Amino acid sequence: MNPIELSFEFFPPKTQEGIEKLRVTRAQLARLNPKFVSVTFGAGGSTQQGTLDTVVEMAREGLLAAPHLSCIGSSKDSLRAILNEYRTQGIRHIVALRGDLPSGMGEVGELRYASELVSFIRTEFGDWFWIEVAGYPEYHPQARSPSDDMANFARKVKAGANSVITQYFFNADAYFRFVDDARKLGVDVPIVPGIMPITNFSQLMRFSEMCGAEVPRWVARRLEGFGDDRDAIRAFGLDVVTGLCQRLIDAGVPGLHFYTLNGAAATRAICERLGAATA
Ligand code: FAD
């Protein structure tokens, strides 16, 4: 029994080599007894088949597999068809998102926000799905203001979400404050922190810029100072992220959700340091 519930996020591979690599990754991570695994979805349906195939394969292996589904750029008919397919496949856990349209890609679609997708799922599929939604301890990058973002977040949860996974962060206080503010707005579902292992400086800075997660200056400067020394980056990243997770566990978080980027090593190293039991 793990001291903390773990979940792992993957993206659907595009090549046969990627498919093989992900099989190895999840075999290694399955030994950490995750509560569930999830598979991302490209906005507008670009990974629709890949997400479905990956989720179905994982479910066959005995993992509780949750597809992500984003509504931006999609019609209600196409979303309904995807959800029907998941129901037919016996999938009961889903991560409901708005998504981001790739630049230059046109129509917004029939549902503009994740809250509308959650309502749509509840109206059309009742309680069949356990619904996860996204939370942003450092606020969504397009938010008009923190208070507006929190009100939108609370509306989304109240539309019928069962649980929340947060964007990754390195500042635990932002998460603690986010949870406090959410509770004050009547959000009473679990809010599981999203964890990004650090393995690559330029990739981390690029992702963080896009999604609005702050990399503390001292962390960025240290990582930058390691230059091409990948071992040093990984060792320092392991210390920083394990320290963050330990602080979150000590504060009683309901679980940890790892953005694995389809690699096992960094996530496994952190979980093992935290004392997670392997099967
Ligand atoms: P929403 O909750 O709809 O919020 C988006 C913005 O709209 C916010 O600024 C919010 O304040 C605002 N807003 C919400 N409701 C209203 C309203 N009624 N009026 C005015 N403004 C409003 N992206 C993918 O494409 N595929 C994935 O698989 C994927 N997985 C993710 C998993 C996690 C755990 C997280 C944290 C993010 C993921 N993303 C994914 C990224 C996500 O799609 C983007 O962050 C996207 O920009 C917002 O999605 P959302 O569901 O949080 O949107």
Side-chain angles (χ1 to χ4, degrees), residues 26 47-58 60 86:
R26 66 175 185 263
T47 69
Q48 187 173 323
Q49 193 60 42
T51 301
L52 174 69
D53 291 347
T54 311
V55 161
V56 168
E57 186 174 323
M58 291 179 175
R60 281 204 195 110
Y86 287 136

Side-chain angles (χ1 to χ4, degrees), residues 98-138:
R98 182 196 73 176
D100 294 305
L101 276 181
S103 56
M105 201 171 141
E107 300 290 303
V108 168
E110 288 184 80
L111 303 175
R112 289 166 308 156
Y113 299 109
S115 56
E116 295 174 359
L117 176 60
V118 174
S119 299
F120 176 77
I121 298 172
R122 285 290 175 238
T123 305
E124 301 253 336
F125 294 86
D127 284 337
W128 176 266
F129 292 105
W130 174 277
I131 304 179
E132 308 268 353
V133 291
Y136 300 84
E138 295 175 308

Side-chain angles (χ1 to χ4, degrees), residues 250-264:
D250 292 346
V253 292
L256 296 173
H257 179 82
F258 283 86
Y259 296 101
T260 70
L261 304 180
N262 288 10

Side-chain angles (χ1 to χ4, degrees), residues 9 40-41 43 68 70 96-100 113-114 134-136 140 142-144 149 152 155-156 165-167 259:
E9 180 172 314
T40 61
F41 181 90
H68 295 207
S70 62
L97 302 142
R98 182 196 73 176
D100 294 305
Y113 299 109
Y136 300 84
H140 185 264
Q142 291 158 357
R144 276 182 295 227
D149 204 33
N152 291 333
R155 185 178 315 116
K156 173 166 69 173
I165 303 170
T166 76
Q167 183 57 274
Y259 296 101

Side-chain angles (χ1 to χ4, degrees), residues 12-13 24 31 33 74 76 92 105 136 194 215 245 253 263 272:
V24 174
R31 299 183 61 223
N33 305 310
S74 298
K76 286 185 184 173
R92 302 200 64 152
M105 201 171 141
Y136 300 84
V215 181
C245 293
V253 292
E272 283 171 358

